[in-house]
Amino acid sequence: MTAKARVVIIGSGIVGASMAYHLTKFGWKDVILLDKGNLYHNDGSTSHAPGGVGAINHSQLMTRFAQYASKLYSELPDFNQPRRTYNAVGGLELARTPERWEDMKRLHSAATAFGVETQLLTPKETQDIWPMINPDAFKGSLLCPSSALVSGTGVTGSLATEAIKAGGCKVYSHTMVTKVDVENNRVTAVHTNNPDLPKIDCDMIVLCTNIWGPILGDHLNIPIPLLAFEHQYTISEPMAEFSQWDPNNRDQEAMYPLIRDLDVTMYYRNHWDKLGVGSYWHRAIPVNPYTLGQTAMHDFTPEDYVEARRLANEMMPSYTGKEITTAYNGMFAFTVDGYPLMGETPINGIWTCVGTWITHAGGVAKSLAEWIVYGESEWDLRACNVNRFHEYQGTRSYIQQITCCNYKEVYDIVHPRRPSTIPRNVRMSPFHARNADLKGHMAPAAGIELPNWYEENSRLLEKYDDQIPERSGWAAQFWSPIQAAEHHEVRNNVGMFDLTPLSIIEITGSGTIDYANKLCTNQMDQPIGSVTYTCWLTPKGGIKRDLAAARMSADTIWFFVGEGTRPQDRDWVLRHAPQDGSVQVNDVSDLYSAVGVWGPNARKVMEKVTEDDMSNDGFPYYSGRWIEIGTARVYAMRISYVGELGWELHIPADQSLPVWDAIWEAGRKFDMIAAGAACMDTLRVEKGYRLWGGDIYTEYNLYEAGLRWTAKIKKEGGFIGREGTLAAKDKGIKKKMCAITIETETDGGMVFGYEPIFADGKMIAHVKTANYGYTVGKHIAFAYLPNQYAKPGTKLEVEYFSQRYKATVMAEPLYDKDQARLKA
């Protein structure tokens, strides 16, 4: 017998059940939910997870997922009567160290920016909430009332039951998917081991198998870069401190907030009159999905619990000497970057929703269901897109190394500018040897080792000493005054930048211009040699990304995007390309390297290295052409991300070093420096250039971002997102991106992003990106301000580590307002 379904959801844990719930909520019928084991006490982590929903995070997206999930779970009918589905007990984040306590203050500010209620507590105030805790063992805590404790089985069962009640979902237990049929790159059916359901014809599948995800991914040749790790959980014998809670009273299962002891990666909860202790404080124990077996629960390894027991005794003294009645090693999946894997894979109709835990599952499923049903989600999902990975990130070696690191650092204090620790030297710029010769301070960008600054430029510190504000504390981490010196030298002289992470997606063919105009907001039918700044939009008008596009020939355009987003940008172009053969899409990124030569002396350097006309008339701003540098033909574009005269040069990969050396030799006459990525950001901030992924992304439209000028609304044929843009305008633009300067007498650069902004005593917005503008001598931040606060001169306050600093809205740009230097 062959069944039929619109969508088959594989895996009935909390994610799969939530997917069924949301798809039916959004009106879909013919949904089938399968699981290889029982319903709803299934084989995965959901059934045995302690049920903590920690609803606050330094990531706005993950906080949104958790906040939505907590609210959703709280509204579900109870499924398992002996236990409550949802316990609104809140959560406490503990800080054992001074460094963690400072980070708690930063998290408290971020929560304020996200609209989440939190409260900083002293040890005594914490003990008033959790009486058995030792107030001498920690510095303080952060209370989040929207955190909770849930029954994983209860939530899963309730979600699936509600989906069934909606009339659009059928569920099947003990039904393992054995094969997926794909024809013409589109899913057509799944086969199972259930004799009553051997084959299901379908339009779509959603993979929700989490720790088993790589198995089906390998079968379909779809990388699923995650790995499961064991983590320990124990439950004590009954304790006198909990004697008032009756084990027979379902309403007394969880009476105290979930505690996360972050500095030692442990957590605590009560189970009626018993204490539950979870621990990551042991060696990393990765689990091969192929040898995992039937369930996500392994035998307890007592030797791994010795130190955790000591730490638990220290935090909960009355736990000392108590017997452990339940103990096991559970499992949780870690992705290579800590974010879920969501979206449609390169095989049409095959979607993934893996790499997430109970805390975020409701919000993750809600967002993916929106994406499936409506074509895009409410929240920007760039960080979760399953197509975001480069090939090296799907290798076994990389997955093993990075997920082991992620396991160890699961609750680490992570500075916004801290580079990843391992693995390193995964990819090398063609200029790596030259960067090393100049003592580049390296950090990976999309795996490529690139200099943040060059120690060789320390010689400039004396020259610019009086123009570099001192930094201390948090702001001074992963910073060097050298980057400030490089900033000044680029403004005053000339610098060469390694731009290897710039990628090129080529579209070519007879339909190129028509397709480019459909994809891009600006007019793409420009003369050959033109360079155009433009945007891609989502159907609702959200900014998918901004980019430069070069008209290479009558039927060829190059799109220049960042290496970090190349995989999903390529997917976007391929997914929307016409299927009639009129356009071919080629990723030519690996054929070229790139450098930037920028600064007031850039033309002088270029005129020494090439015989081509580099004059203002001969090579105007926003134009591009092939030039000769030695024996190499290099594509040069007169554009700049630092707000200075100069060129972006795209070099054949096999001729990269000779071109670098030729430019370096030509620049010696002018004392040209090599400049790092850190100063590029300070240069772009004071020029007012937007950062994709930080300042602009799909949750904002062109009007709000100040990029309406990039769109030719009336161009023939329109473009993706045109109607959404017009609808946003008709609805009324209520906020816009503004630059603000922050007054502080201490740190030369304190704000990094997500800090709340106040006006008239109320929180009105939060910082998007920020840095210090060394030329203008001000700390600059960008934020979307409500219209009534967006006027230059408006006085505001920015909160940083629980302190408020005065700020002022400024007219943009703060540097080179008339573009004289850029177009010199």
Side-chain angles (χ1 to χ4, degrees):
M1 175 183 112
T2 298
K4 292 185 178 182
R6 188 174 188 180
V7 57
V8 175
I9 301 169
I10 305 172
S12 74
I14 196 166
V15 178
S18 190
M19 279 302 308
Y21 171 88
H22 284 94
L23 287 174
T24 55
K25 178 181 178 181
F26 296 154
W28 274 34
K29 306 294 182 183
D30 300 324
V31 176
I32 288 180
L33 176 64
L34 307 177
D35 198 276
K36 69 181 181 65
N38 292 319
L39 298 174
Y40 298 97
H41 193 84
N42 57 21
D43 297 333
S45 300
T46 299
S47 299
H48 66 256
V53 178
I56 184 61
N57 192 289
H58 279 296
S59 162
Q60 183 181 35
L61 180 60
M62 298 301 276
T63 297
R64 284 169 162 173
F65 286 157
Q67 288 290 315
Y68 176 87
S70 185
K71 185 175 186 298
L72 170 66
Y73 304 159
S74 73
E75 295 171 347
L76 292 172
D78 275 339
F79 175 74
N80 190 345
Q81 288 306 312
R83 298 184 63 191
R84 290 179 60 88
T85 293
Y86 184 87
N87 299 278
V89 292
L92 288 164
E93 314 280 290
L94 299 187
R96 285 181 181 246
T97 64
E99 294 77 13
R100 179 71 65 177
W101 181 237
E102 288 302 301
D103 190 60
M104 288 291 182
K105 295 176 185 177
R106 194 170 70 93
L107 182 57
H108 174 59
S109 291
T112 302
F114 303 156
V116 177
E117 179 189 353
T118 57
Q119 184 180 352
L120 292 165
L121 303 178
T122 66
K124 179 60 174 64
E125 290 170 332
T126 308
Q127 188 186 40
D128 289 342
I129 298 173
W130 248 91
M132 66 181 288
I133 202 167
N134 177 12
D136 297 326
F138 62 103
K139 304 295 181 183
S141 70
L142 184 70
L143 173 67
C144 181
S146 51
S147 293
L149 286 163
V150 303
S151 160
T153 299
V155 171
T156 300
S158 187
L159 287 167
T161 300
E162 292 302 299
I164 295 168
K165 286 180 180 177
C169 180
K170 296 180 180 178
V171 298
Y172 296 89
S173 63
H174 302 290
T175 303
M176 178 183 290
V177 172
T178 57
K179 181 185 175 184
V180 176
D181 290 343
V182 176
E183 297 178 9
N184 298 319
N185 200 48
R186 175 169 288 281
V187 66
T188 58
V190 297
H191 299 258
T192 82
N193 67 349
N194 185 338
D196 297 325
L197 198 69
K199 183 182 179 184
I200 309 170
D201 290 333
C202 59
D203 300 324
M204 180 185 302
I205 66 173
V206 184
L207 182 65
C208 299
T209 51
N210 210 29
I211 59 179
W212 288 278
I215 297 175
L216 192 53
D218 290 346
H219 170 68
L220 297 166
N221 198 30
I222 297 170
I224 305 293
L226 62 75
L227 191 62
F229 286 79
E230 296 185 21
H231 109 283
Q232 297 190 304
Y233 195 72
T234 67
I235 301 176
S236 74
E237 64 178 313
M239 297 177 62
E241 289 77 9
F242 298 136
S243 60
Q244 68 270 42
W245 312 127
D246 180 1
N248 297 311
N249 186 337
R250 64 189 291 276
D251 294 330
Q252 295 183 357
E253 175 187 359
M255 302 303 294
Y256 294 115
L258 166 71
I259 287 180
R260 296 201 297 183
D261 193 355
L262 301 179
D263 288 300
V264 296
T265 62
M266 295 174 64
Y267 57 93
Y268 311 89
R269 62 158 295 181
N270 78 294
H271 296 270
W272 288 284
D273 57 351
K274 302 175 181 180
L275 180 67
V277 180
S279 172
Y280 295 90
W281 194 254
H282 53 75
R283 64 192 171 98
I285 311 174
V287 182
N288 184 332
Y290 286 95
T291 60
L292 170 58
Q294 180 69 23
T295 73
M297 186 184 292
H298 279 181
D299 291 339
F300 189 66
T301 52
E303 66 275 14
D304 292 312
Y305 195 65
V306 175
E307 180 63 9
R309 179 69 193 241
R310 184 190 69 79
L311 292 166
N313 292 344
E314 181 180 271
M315 187 60 68
M316 303 283 184
S318 55
Y319 181 56
T320 304
K322 296 296 185 294
E323 289 187 16
I324 294 173
T325 58
T326 301
Y328 57 86
N329 285 12
M331 292 174 203
F332 291 94
F334 286 78
T335 63
V336 296
D337 60 3
Y339 283 90
L341 309 180
M342 302 166 61
E344 189 173 20
T345 70
I347 301 177
N348 294 326
I350 297 182
W351 294 69
T352 63
C353 194
V354 295
T356 189
W357 304 351
I358 281 179
T359 290
H360 307 106
V364 166
K366 171 253 192 191
S367 296
L368 186 64
E370 290 172 338
W371 194 351
I372 290 171
V373 174
Y374 304 120
E376 60 184 292
S377 57
E378 176 186 3
W379 304 319
D380 186 281
L381 299 179
R382 66 189 183 279
C384 303
N385 192 323
V386 68
N387 300 300
R388 67 189 182 270
F389 301 107
H390 291 268
E391 286 190 15
Y392 74 89
Q393 293 174 292
T395 61
R396 290 185 181 89
S397 175
Y398 184 86
I399 294 170
Q400 180 83 15
Q401 290 182 67
I402 194 69
T403 53
C404 281
C405 179
N406 290 347
Y407 173 87
K408 295 172 184 176
E409 298 176 354
V410 63
Y411 290 149
D412 271 11
I413 301 171
V414 179
H415 194 279
R417 301 225 164 104
R418 190 191 82 172
S420 59
T421 52
I422 59 172
R424 293 294 297 269
N425 300 319
V426 174
R427 305 174 72 196
M428 297 295 189
S429 159
F431 313 115
H432 185 79
R434 302 299 182 262
N435 290 330
D437 290 343
L438 295 168
K439 302 176 183 177
H441 187 278
M442 312 301 281
I448 303 172
E449 297 290 326
L450 291 172
N452 265 336
W453 62 81
Y454 294 89
E455 294 293 335
E456 186 70 18
N457 290 328
S458 62
R459 60 186 173 80
L460 298 172
L461 291 175
E462 184 175 357
K463 180 178 180 180
Y464 294 113
D465 180 64
D466 62 341
Q467 299 175 60
I468 304 175
E470 293 184 2
R471 291 196 185 189
S472 62
W474 182 260
Q477 294 184 39
F478 309 103
W479 174 86
S480 168
I482 296 172
Q483 66 196 60
E486 291 178 356
H487 173 115
H488 285 300
E489 192 67 6
V490 171
R491 287 277 188 250
N492 296 328
N493 184 14
V494 58
M496 182 160 68
F497 294 78
D498 183 345
L499 302 181
T500 297
L502 277 173
S503 301
I504 307 170
I505 300 173
E506 175 186 84
I507 60 172
T508 187
S510 60
T512 288
I513 300 305
D514 287 342
Y515 177 47
N517 265 329
K518 172 189 173 184
L519 205 61
C520 301
T521 57
N522 219 327
Q523 175 57 255
M524 293 292 104
D525 192 3
Q526 301 284 359
I528 296 170
S530 296
V531 177
T532 304
Y533 178 66
T534 188
C535 293
W536 297 337
L537 305 182
T538 68
K540 293 181 181 179
I543 301 171
K544 179 67 179 175
R545 84 152 306 127
D546 66 328
L547 67 153
R551 181 80 180 268
M552 306 298 292
S553 69
D555 59 1
T556 302
I557 286 178
W558 280 6
F559 294 137
F560 296 89
V561 298
E563 179 72 3
T565 62
R566 192 216 312 189
Q568 57 182 300
D569 291 336
R570 180 179 59 223
D571 177 74
W572 182 261
V573 177
L574 284 166
R575 204 171 290 278
H576 291 89
Q579 301 301 305
D580 58 5
S582 63
V583 172
Q584 293 81 51
V585 178
N586 305 307
D587 184 348
V588 299
S589 307
D590 296 331
L591 301 179
Y592 295 89
S593 65
V595 298
V597 180
W598 292 312
N601 285 328
R603 181 174 287 117
K604 294 177 181 178
V605 173
M606 294 303 298
E607 286 176 340
K608 284 186 67 67
V609 81
T610 183
E611 295 181 5
D612 287 271
D613 185 0
M614 308 301 286
S615 68
N616 201 30
D617 291 336
F619 207 136
Y621 187 57
Y622 269 134
S623 65
R625 67 166 184 263
W626 295 98
I627 65 173
E628 292 184 5
I629 298 179
T631 58
R633 293 186 72 244
V634 174
Y635 192 73
M637 296 194 298
R638 177 114 182 258
I639 59 176
S640 168
Y641 195 54
V642 302
E644 294 292 342
L645 167 68
W647 284 265
E648 192 176 282
L649 307 173
H650 295 268
I651 310 161
D654 58 354
Q655 295 179 285
S656 298
L657 276 181
V659 171
W660 174 286
D661 291 342
I663 298 171
W664 188 252
E665 182 62 27
R668 290 178 64 182
K669 180 179 178 181
F670 309 100
D671 293 325
M672 181 181 73
I673 66 165
C679 87
M680 186 183 295
D681 191 62
T682 61
L683 291 161
R684 74 96 190 165
V685 162
E686 65 183 10
K687 184 58 180 169
Y689 291 148
R690 305 320 191 210
L691 176 66
W692 183 85
D695 300 317
I696 52 176
Y697 43 91
T698 61
E699 293 176 29
Y700 300 100
N701 60 54
L702 297 175
Y703 290 98
E704 293 168 332
L707 296 176
R708 166 60 182 83
W709 61 274
T710 67
K712 299 298 182 283
I713 295 290
K714 297 181 180 180
K715 70 176 178 179
E716 186 177 353
F719 52 84
I720 296 172
R722 176 183 179 274
E723 288 71 24
T725 300
L726 291 174
K729 180 185 178 183
D730 291 342
K731 189 176 179 180
I733 306 302
K734 296 180 175 60
K735 58 189 173 186
K736 67 177 183 177
M737 170 70 77
C738 298
I740 63 175
T741 57
I742 303 167
E743 300 175 21
T744 170
E745 298 177 357
T746 53
D747 294 331
M750 60 177 191
V751 175
F752 293 90
Y754 293 143
E755 293 83 3
I757 299 171
F758 295 84
D760 304 322
K762 63 179 181 179
M763 200 273 289
I764 61 164
H766 65 262
V767 172
K768 290 298 181 183
T769 65
N771 217 317
Y772 194 81
Y774 292 100
T775 307
V776 300
K778 295 180 181 295
H779 194 285
I780 305 164
F782 296 116
Y784 287 90
L785 300 178
N787 292 344
Q788 63 267 38
Y789 300 106
K791 183 179 179 181
T794 301
K795 300 299 181 182
L796 306 170
E797 289 183 311
V798 176
E799 184 175 287
Y800 176 72
F801 283 93
S802 299
Q803 293 189 42
R804 303 259 180 108
Y805 294 86
K806 294 180 180 179
T808 305
V809 180
M810 305 296 290
E812 291 190 80
L814 278 72
Y815 175 78
D816 191 25
K817 294 182 185 296
D818 59 3
Q819 310 279 59
R821 294 174 67 95
L822 193 63
K823 299 181 179 180

